[in-house]
Amino acid sequence: MSDHHVIFMPSGKRGRFATGTPVLTAARQLGVDLDSVCGGRGICSKCQVAPGRGDFPKLGISVRADALSEVNAVERRYDEKRGLAPGRRLGCQATVQGDVVIDVPPESQVHRQVVRKEARGAPIRMDPATRLHVVTVEEPDMDAPSGDLERLQAALKTEWNVDAPTLPLPLLGRLQKVLRAGKWQITVAVNHEENRIAGLWPGLREDPVVGLAIDLGSTTIAAHLCDLSTGEVRASGGVMNPQIRFGEDLMSRVSYAMMNPGGDAEMTRAVREALDALTRELAAEAGVAADDILEAVIVCNPVMHHLLLGVDPVELGQSPFALATSDALRLGAAEIGLEAMAAGARVYVLPCIAGHVGADAAAVALAQGPDRDTPMTLIVDVGTNAEILLGNRARLLACSSPTGPAFEGAQISAGQRAAPGAIERVRIDPDTKEPRFRVIGSELWSDDPGFAEATAATGVTGICGSGIIEAVAEMRLAGILDATGLIGSAAQVGTDRCAADGRTHAYRLWSDGDRDIRVTQGDIRAIQLAKSALYAGARLLMDEAGVETLDQVTLAGAFGAHISPRHAIVLGMIPDAPLDRVTSAGNAAGHGARMALCDRGARAHIEGLVRRIEKVETAVAPRFQEHFVAANAIPHATASFPHLAGEVTLPDVSWNVATTGRRRRRSS
Amino acid sequence: MSDHHVIFMPSGKRGRFATGTPVLTAARQLGVDLDSVCGGRGICSKCQVAPGRGDFPKLGISVRADALSEVNAVERRYDEKRGLAPGRRLGCQATVQGDVVIDVPPESQVHRQVVRKEARGAPIRMDPATRLHVVTVEEPDMDAPSGDLERLQAALKTEWNVDAPTLPLPLLGRLQKVLRAGKWQITVAVNHEENRIAGLWPGLREDPVVGLAIDLGSTTIAAHLCDLSTGEVRASGGVMNPQIRFGEDLMSRVSYAMMNPGGDAEMTRAVREALDALTRELAAEAGVAADDILEAVIVCNPVMHHLLLGVDPVELGQSPFALATSDALRLGAAEIGLEAMAAGARVYVLPCIAGHVGADAAAVALAQGPDRDTPMTLIVDVGTNAEILLGNRARLLACSSPTGPAFEGAQISAGQRAAPGAIERVRIDPDTKEPRFRVIGSELWSDDPGFAEATAATGVTGICGSGIIEAVAEMRLAGILDATGLIGSAAQVGTDRCAADGRTHAYRLWSDGDRDIRVTQGDIRAIQLAKSALYAGARLLMDEAGVETLDQVTLAGAFGAHISPRHAIVLGMIPDAPLDRVTSAGNAAGHGARMALCDRGARAHIEGLVRRIEKVETAVAPRFQEHFVAANAIPHATASFPHLAGEVTLPDVSWNVATTGRRRRRSS
């Protein structure tokens, strides 16, 4: 019998094939996910398979030892040079000789899954836009003249069914040399999403294709350099956004653009140069050539989005906050002035949700996938604006809330950016009212032995966003603050750390004799405004969605990773939720960028999702103001936080400014 | 009855419409070719029509005086401001009130025909890729946020059925300002062929869209700036190709690129700068802003093609003369470094036929249209290489023939480029052997009174291509040359203008005492090689096509315009043809470029035609060599030129080099 059962696992796809059919050919005919760069030439080794042996009763098949052809010279040579794992065969060399079950190991699958190790979130399914293909191009023939490109396109059509991809001019300039250097056999990188050729190399290119997932933040620019066949992160890093010199926060950059003719172009240039520098740095770290980077995905807020594209962001600084464009963008890296990457590199920019809710929020939605599950989920990305998503499989809503930069340490008397030396964790003894704290850069608490030595290099320099949140919440828990946010006097609270500061009081967290780090009444007010805005935004979405309770809360962003859920709820930053269901998503925006980089399906998914997201504008919603005003207390109403009951005790204190010096205990 | 017959002329399209239907609406529903930029807003006046009146028995219709609504305020205002020709109405304002016949005058048709005045060739049918559309874009809404671009795309879809055209980034940067300046009503230029937005202006843009048709030659770059709605040429001009400093002819430029690293990039830069300069010059001449030029079409030979694109032309300098790409190209002007045009301007480059037969030859084919007719037509474009097309409706063949630069005056002892002072016409008296000539820049013959004064400014500087052809042919007709191309001695010919020049003789055309302009034996040999190559190429195509006689010969190119058909056939440059059917096509390549600029259909036509053209390679054809060797005589065999008989008498002379001094008369 010259006709054999062939079953591929794990897909279970099966068919009948004649004796001598290469396994790769059988896989292709059945649509089995088996990788190959060289198209069966026996040179790329991507199509490794593991044939089974013996009885497979469930599959109704019995596999003899000679079900595949014997190991041939090509396989032996590959084994000697690179080593072939025991039991592995090259799918393009092994041919079918009998009934056989063939396992396609994950590393031979194009569409393998990459599970995220560092934090929760959706796994990455590999389906990269850009893939490598080896082709043999016909040599030019004077009697049937046609361009080298046209013959390359013909070969891509015949060998890979790729239909007339375009070739960017800089690559056209290299084509003839590459074809001749490769003796008419070359490796072509094809961006299948855009049907464009993205790279050309003579012969077989063995190095994988790499791309960049970029999280372009107002303060820092972070990026992962990823292997586009395995999804592996080859290098990660970040640089400060050089636009900081034009304004710390987004609105001051918009103002800079409005006040200074050409200011937007200056900022555009600065951020592009920084991206180029970061690209080169990561390439060096990963040991790849920067101009081998063929793709990048960028996520960012709307102001950064416009400045990157070279669009004046002035409209984003004023109502109605109109974006120049909201849809996802597919651009040439050169079009947006990125010169470090490959000449044919493409850039994918995620869609923006609204004028205040950018591609970064879309990336968070992609990474966290609230739309894939049933729990009612609140996702908060805290920055100068908080971006807030609420929903589940049925509906998804989004808004942004103008928290101001207090959560980032700005507008706080001793505030600073999260950097070594900044206080990031605070505990206050409810009895003694004595604080202890940790600073960034050391694992020790300030009352641990050796703290002074461990922090000698940085000193204690200020207090960062997560530090001020914990400080305020702990002050409330320790009875230093009353529910309205007033700091009691030394006499009221019973500690000389509470000292008069003008007409109010301030609480001293730390002092080295020369300099104090204190929490002032002004700091408390700034945090109250910020947390009320955040809370009101979340409540507004809950109103719109018609829900009263949350199943889970996810704090996204670098800042979210450092917020203590307990303190966030004590403060009343976020609506009530089970404390163990308030979690950090880590850098969800960056993860979303990585998903979009590795998986074309993720791009299609987020583009569809962003269209479905219901956008809620806080600036025009009267209920936002109501929630905002009502959310001033800390927390604003104990009854609103049932999950806090039993977890913490909120001292029932109340300081009356007019009557400081008198301590009252109220019955509630 | 509320239902009326409406018949549009000249199309004859008819339908029934309710009382009150605007004429423009009726026209659109019937698919009548009636222009409109403003889409019926009554502001662009492009939709002017001329209603008929009285009986139209052939159409079976009688039109009453009140068949259309009365002239309204919009029409009156337009008439007062700009003037409306008697009987004209605005199609968007006049409504149907009875049976009516409506004439659409040519200037209201989008697809009008433009007949070429300057020379024969196909008329231009207007169907420009880029057209203007007025749209009203919805204002941004915070409750349903979307980008300005997305709302513009929605308006283009609703009002003009244009489906999501892309917007280049430089225009995205302007979009928001334009929308607000126009109070959400703007004019958009859409390139319908590529579905891209090419320009944006607030309100109604009244100026027409313009484009450039560029003939990029090795020596000169010529261009027409054309109105893309009327086809009218608004300005024409040319500059020298600055690449001349790297090499006079194409092969020396290829050599320059091979010998000098970066030499190709240098030449690329030079030609792009020249194109920008020419663009600015023509825009100034036409009184338009250079950055209002939205489209350009470029035709050129393969070497110029590659150098313009930034592709090293080295492969074009050696067998098998492989093009990097042969298909037509649609590019951003910015991609090929053209900066003078609009930021969103697009460039269309015609397809190349083969490594030696470029986009310029394709443009000639487009302009002359041998494929549209039955006569067997030979088209010759003479330059350093001659590009030769042969065929008719049934088949079209092409080749190039390596004539060398002799026809351009190079390799000729007194040769020079066609420039003021160069001898371009020559006559020799068969009896006296005395010459007379004309030089470029004067209408006088050298024996006319006042010639010296008329040419005093330039002098007589040398002899150009058409001059040397006439000189050689006249020398043959006057019995100075024998059929083999030998120049007789003074004694043999009977004039002391024939003087010894080494071991051969030279004929003195002109002398001012200090300096002679002579035709040497070497010059004759150079012309013999060139004309043999040209003749052999044409004959090779005739062999391939299986034809023995030509119905007509077209000489294309600037050079072709100056060649005398009679002298060309006496010389044996081209195969025999009826002398009155040997004509010049003028700048056919430039006309082809203009056709492709104004008419999308012309682009589709030439792309299809180039695929159909049968390419014949002279370098590998043994019959080319045979024809070449056999074609050395002047003309090579009288029997091959039946149309010459009766037109000229070829003296039966024969000079024997070994026996100079003896004159023989042979009987033939």
Side-chain angles (χ1 to χ4, degrees), chain B residues 11 34 46 89 93 114 158 239 299 308 318 329 422 441 452 460 482 489 564 580-581 590 604 622 626 642 646 662:
Chain B
S11 66
L34 176 56
K46 295 282 184 189
R89 301 292 304 271
Q93 301 301 313
V114 181
T158 309
V239 291
V299 305
L308 173 68
Q318 61 204 32
L329 298 168
V460 178
D482 69 7
S489 66
S564 139
D580 61 346
R581 302 304 304 274
E626 290 167 26
R662 197 156 58 85

Side-chain angles (χ1 to χ4, degrees), chain A residues 448-531:
Chain A
D448 285 337
F451 175 81
E453 295 73 21
T455 58
T458 60
V460 178
T461 51
I463 186 160
C464 73
S466 60
I468 190 72
I469 286 171
E470 291 202 359
V472 176
E474 288 283 325
M475 285 167 71
R476 176 76 183 96
L477 289 171
I480 298 166
L481 284 185
D482 70 7
T484 70
L486 262 187
I487 304 175
S489 66
Q492 283 168 331
V493 179
T495 171
D496 63 3
R497 284 186 177 268
C498 286
D501 180 38
R503 300 174 63 178
T504 56
H505 298 92
Y507 174 77
R508 194 177 70 254
L509 217 44
W510 174 86
S511 177
D512 68 355
D514 286 340
R515 202 169 58 88
D516 291 347
I517 292 180
R518 303 182 310 160
V519 179
T520 68
Q521 191 61 56
D523 297 344
I524 304 288
R525 293 297 174 223
I527 290 296
Q528 279 177 297
L529 289 175
K531 73 102 183 180

Side-chain angles (χ1 to χ4, degrees), chain B residues 147-293:
Chain B
D148 284 350
L149 170 59
E150 285 73 18
R151 274 173 282 107
L152 167 60
Q153 288 171 328
L156 281 165
K157 178 69 188 168
T158 309
E159 297 188 31
W160 297 96
N161 201 26
V162 175
D163 205 6
T166 56
L167 182 70
L169 273 191
L171 291 181
L172 179 64
R174 283 186 214 159
L175 175 63
Q176 298 197 300
K177 284 191 179 64
V178 170
L179 280 171
R180 283 151 188 84
K183 300 198 168 58
W184 306 96
Q185 189 176 91
I186 65 173
T187 305
V188 183
V190 177
N191 180 318
H192 290 273
E193 194 181 52
E194 301 190 56
N195 201 34
R196 280 169 175 274
I197 295 172
L200 300 164
W201 302 270
L204 170 72
R205 178 187 162 88
E206 305 206 28
D207 295 331
V209 166
V210 292
L212 277 179
I214 302 170
D215 179 9
L216 173 53
S218 325
T219 307
T220 55
I221 308 174
H224 297 303
L225 191 147
C226 301
D227 181 321
L228 290 184
S229 58
T230 64
E232 180 200 351
V233 174
R234 299 275 300 271
S236 295
V239 291
M240 293 300 286
N241 187 332
Q243 290 180 346
I244 285 173
R245 68 175 183 268
F246 305 103
E248 279 269 341
D249 62 81
L250 292 174
M251 284 310 127
S252 50
R253 289 183 213 166
V254 173
S255 303
Y256 184 85
M258 290 174 74
M259 300 305 180
N260 300 278
D264 57 324
E266 237 180 307
M267 289 188 277
T268 295
R269 208 159 36 241
V271 74
R272 290 173 174 182
E273 283 169 6
L275 283 171
D276 271 347
L278 181 58
T279 300
R280 291 195 186 93
E281 195 182 305
L282 291 185
E285 191 187 323
V288 303
D291 65 4
D292 267 355
I293 298 173

Side-chain angles (χ1 to χ4, degrees), chain A residues 140-151 153 168-170 172-173 175-177 180 184 196 264 272 306 309-316 318-329 331 335-336 353-355 615-617 619-620, chain B residues 140-151 153 168-170 172-173 175-177 180 184 196 264 272 306 309-316 318-329 331 335-336 353-355 615-617 619-620:
Chain A
D141 173 359
M142 282 196 286
D143 285 329
S146 66
D148 283 351
L149 170 60
E150 285 72 20
R151 274 174 280 107
Q153 288 171 328
L169 273 192
L172 180 64
L175 174 63
Q176 298 198 299
K177 285 190 178 64
R180 284 151 187 83
W184 306 96
R196 278 170 175 273
D264 57 323
R272 290 173 174 183
H306 281 38
L309 296 179
V311 176
D312 188 335
V314 60
E315 291 299 330
L316 297 172
Q318 61 203 32
S319 173
F321 313 108
L323 290 157
T325 182
S326 49
D327 283 354
L329 299 167
L331 303 164
E335 277 183 88
I336 52 170
I353 298 172
K615 293 89 180 173
V616 178
E617 179 53 49
V620 292
Chain B
D141 173 359
M142 281 196 287
D143 285 329
S146 68
D148 284 350
L149 170 59
E150 285 73 18
R151 274 173 282 107
Q153 288 171 328
L169 273 191
L172 179 64
L175 175 63
Q176 298 197 300
K177 284 191 179 64
R180 283 151 188 84
W184 306 96
R196 280 169 175 274
D264 57 324
R272 290 173 174 182
H306 280 39
L309 296 178
V311 176
D312 187 336
V314 59
E315 291 300 330
L316 298 172
Q318 61 204 32
S319 172
F321 314 107
L323 290 157
T325 183
S326 50
D327 283 354
L329 298 168
L331 302 164
E335 277 183 87
I336 53 170
I353 298 172
K615 293 89 180 174
V616 178
E617 179 54 49
V620 292

Side-chain angles (χ1 to χ4, degrees), chain A residues 208-212 225-228 234 288-289 292-295:
Chain A
V209 166
V210 292
L212 277 179
L225 192 147
C226 302
D227 181 322
L228 289 184
R234 298 274 302 270
V288 303
D292 267 356
I293 297 173
L294 299 187
E295 270 200 89

Side-chain angles (χ1 to χ4, degrees), chain A residues 99 102 122 131 175 202 302-303 456 485 520 527 600 617 638 658:
Chain A
D99 292 353
I102 294 166
R131 291 181 58 195
L175 174 63
V303 173
T520 68
I527 290 296
R600 283 186 281 172
E617 179 53 49
T638 324

Side-chain angles (χ1 to χ4, degrees), chain A residues 370-376 391-397 612 614:
Chain A
D371 57 308
R372 297 177 202 262
D373 213 347
T374 48
M376 181 55 58
N392 59 13
R393 180 176 292 168
R395 283 176 80 180
L396 196 57
L397 296 89
R612 282 206 294 120
E614 300 167 50

